[in-house]
Structure formats: C-alpha cells, structure tokens
Amino acid sequence: MTYIAIYLVVGTVAGVMAGLLGIGGGLIIVPLLTVIFTSLGINHSVIVHLALGTSLASIVFTSLSSVRSHFKRGSVNRSVVARITPGIIAGSYTGTWVAAMLSTNILKAFFGLFILYVATQMLVGIKPKEGRTIPGTLGIFGSGCGIGLFSSLAGIGGGTLGVPFLVWCNIKIHEAIGTAAGIGFPIAITGALGYIINGWGAADLPPHCLGYVYLPALIGIVSASILTAPLGVKLAHSLPVEKLRKIFAMLLYVVSAKMLLSIVM
C-alpha cells in the first residue's frame, strides 16, 4: 500500500508537469522510479530500463489528457504534429533498441548529461533568427528522428526537445508547449511498445512486468496523472513566458544533478 501511495504522488506531480511544460512527466517519473525500484530491491541491471519503459507507457495516457486540454485552448499545431510524426516513430523505436543494449550506469549518465544540456539551452534563452520556420519534408523527418531517438533513450515525452525546437522555429511558447504535448503521444506509444518488445524475456525482471514496463507503477502513476494534467495546462496559459522558461530550466537542473550523483554514490 505504501508504494501505491508513492506511485499516486509521482503521477500527480507528473500530470501537472505534463500540462504545464508539455514534457509528458518523464523528467519527474524516470529519476523517482529509479529511486523507488532501488528501494524495492529490483536487480540493478534492469532498474533504469524499467524506469524508462514505465515512464513512456505512462506518458501514453498522460499526453492524451494533456494534449486534449491544450487542443481545447487552440495551442496545438496539428500540421506540425502530422508532419513530424513519421520521424518521431522511427527515432523512438530505434532509441528503445539502443537502450536495451546499454548498461544502467551508461543510461543514467546519458539521461543526466542530456537534461543538463537542455536545461542550459532553455535558461540561456537563445533567440531564433527572424524568419526561421519549420523545415521542409526531409528536415522535419530528421528533426523528428532526433527528438524521438533521444526522448525514448531518456524515457521522456516530446517537450524536452520539442519545445526548444519549436521555439527555435519561431513558434510562440504556449503553442510550442501544446504542440510538443501532441508530439509526445507518438513518442510514448512507439517507445512503450519498443521497451515491451526489447525487454520481453529479459533476465532479472521482477514479477508483474510487461517487458521493461512495471505494471504496478504504471497503474498508480496513470491513475493520478490523467486527472492532474488539465491543471498543468491551465497554469501554462496563466503564467508569463519567462517564468515558464525558468521553471522548465530549474527543474531540468535538479533532475540532472540527481541522476549524475546517483552513479557515484
């Protein structure tokens, strides 16, 4: 019962973050599940793999709730979502295949450094050049592949890379957040399926797993997150742009430090 309550708390926070920043909650879910799975005594070799797979599986549900709320407010660019999705799918599945071959500590290092880079990029707030727009067919496919690949490797939704990319293309921050939430759905569903397939029959998995997805955690997180994502969307449309950017960056720094320190401690 104690762990069920913890999963509900994780889901509550992740849902708010998904709606507020378009990140799908993965930046919260992955490090917290890593800590929880360690305390449960799950074998170290599969802890991060399970955290990544479970995170993406939960984002399938969270992103639906988040994007629906953003859509009602007119902040989802459906054309961009449709154009970038083929690349997202290709990159996301490739990322799960690569992750299945990497050790836990390598995945932790990747996650921590990746988030550190994104946090710095967002905090500095590099301004895009005037006139820059969404790239053509080949460019947006390549961008989708990159976003999908790194997102599935880190177990996160589309916002972490999607928001900076869209802002770089001169899309306003609130529309970028809403559109990134839409991008998060194909990342999550492709990534979750990839972690299930690549983790099927893996050694040292605990009971109640579907590949690299831990079902008790998934159920608890989803139960709360789908209810709180709309609250995050409401906050996203009431807070000023610069405050959103700083919240996003500070959150990423904290998560990065936690993950990197866990490798040496």
Side-chain angles (χ1 to χ4, degrees), residues 14-68:
V16 172
M17 291 297 100
L20 177 60
L21 299 173
I23 60 175
L27 294 174
I28 301 295
I29 296 170
V30 174
L32 289 181
L33 285 185
T34 300
V35 173
I36 294 168
F37 292 163
T38 300
S39 69
L40 283 172
I42 292 175
N43 191 287
H44 178 76
S45 65
V46 298
I47 283 177
V48 178
H49 298 80
L50 281 173
L52 294 170
T54 305
S55 173
L56 284 169
S58 71
I59 292 170
V60 172
F61 301 93
T62 306
S63 64
L64 279 176
S65 177
S66 175
V67 77
R68 182 173 61 181

Side-chain angles (χ1 to χ4, degrees), residues 4 7 33 37 42 50 53-54 57-58 61 196 200 206-223:
I4 292 175
Y7 295 141
L33 285 185
F37 292 163
I42 292 175
L50 281 173
T54 305
S58 71
F61 301 93
I196 290 171
W200 199 266
H208 314 301
C209 283
L210 197 61
Y212 286 130
V213 175
Y214 187 57
L215 296 178
L218 174 64
I219 293 169
I221 291 169
V222 169
S223 297

Side-chain angles (χ1 to χ4, degrees), residues 157-261:
T160 307
L161 281 178
V163 171
F165 169 70
L166 294 170
V167 170
W168 182 79
C169 293
N170 280 310
I171 291 180
K172 293 181 179 179
I173 183 67
H174 292 104
E175 183 180 344
I177 291 172
T179 304
I183 291 171
F185 179 70
I187 289 176
I189 196 165
T190 305
L193 288 172
Y195 277 106
I196 290 171
I197 293 168
N198 289 295
W200 199 266
D204 301 317
L205 289 176
H208 314 301
C209 283
L210 197 61
Y212 286 130
V213 175
Y214 187 57
L215 296 178
L218 174 64
I219 293 169
I221 291 169
V222 169
S223 297
S225 64
I226 60 175
L227 298 177
T228 55
L231 172 60
V233 173
K234 184 177 181 180
L235 291 173
H237 286 266
S238 61
L239 294 174
V241 171
E242 288 307 311
K243 184 172 290 187
L244 279 175
R245 194 183 301 276
K246 290 178 181 178
I247 290 172
F248 197 11
M250 290 300 103
L251 172 65
L252 296 183
Y253 275 123
V254 171
V255 174
S256 172
K258 176 67 177 176
M259 187 61 71
L260 292 173
L261 287 173

